[in-house]
Amino acid sequence: KVLRVPCAFVTHLGACIDDKTPLLRSNDAVNREGLRLLKNIGRDTGVKAIHSYLGWEQEFFIIKAELYKQRPDLVNCGRTLIGKLPCRN
């Protein structure tokens, strides 16, 4: 069994210490400003959000030690080098 934990890391001062947090903040800004633009041009009828489907996939997987030892990429690099494309592709 594997536990998948989607994550973003932020310090107590709000500084991001990962690669996903800046993208999440950018998505929030695109949503906020896109809604503002639609309102200003009079096209905001019923629009509640703007969604972006471009993203940075960052997750942590918690696996058993014996499974970790079977993966040379994890043992040698400390990260996965083997994987498959996300279902959107």
Side-chain angles (χ1 to χ4, degrees):
K1 304 257 180 192
V2 175
L3 174 63
R4 181 182 70 92
V5 183
C7 57
F9 294 108
V10 181
T11 68
H12 66 284
L13 297 175
C16 59
I17 53 176
D18 66 342
D19 294 326
K20 191 171 187 174
T21 301
L23 179 66
L24 294 173
R25 289 178 178 168
S26 296
N27 277 338
D28 289 343
V30 166
N31 180 53
R32 182 181 62 248
E33 297 304 319
L35 291 173
R36 186 173 152 227
L37 173 66
L38 289 174
K39 181 179 178 186
N40 286 334
I41 64 173
R43 299 282 186 158
D44 65 336
T45 56
V47 178
K48 296 184 189 243
I50 294 175
H51 300 283
S52 169
Y53 293 103
L54 176 65
W56 189 259
E57 300 297 326
Q58 178 176 319
E59 296 135 348
F60 284 89
F61 297 87
I62 301 169
I63 61 174
K64 294 179 179 178
E66 59 268 12
L67 294 174
Y68 172 84
K69 293 174 187 172
Q70 293 174 10
R71 293 279 303 271
D73 58 333
L74 292 174
V75 174
N76 293 323
C77 301
R79 63 182 63 192
T80 184
L81 302 176
I82 303 168
K84 65 179 190 175
L85 290 173
C87 33
R88 285 188 234 149
N89 291 343

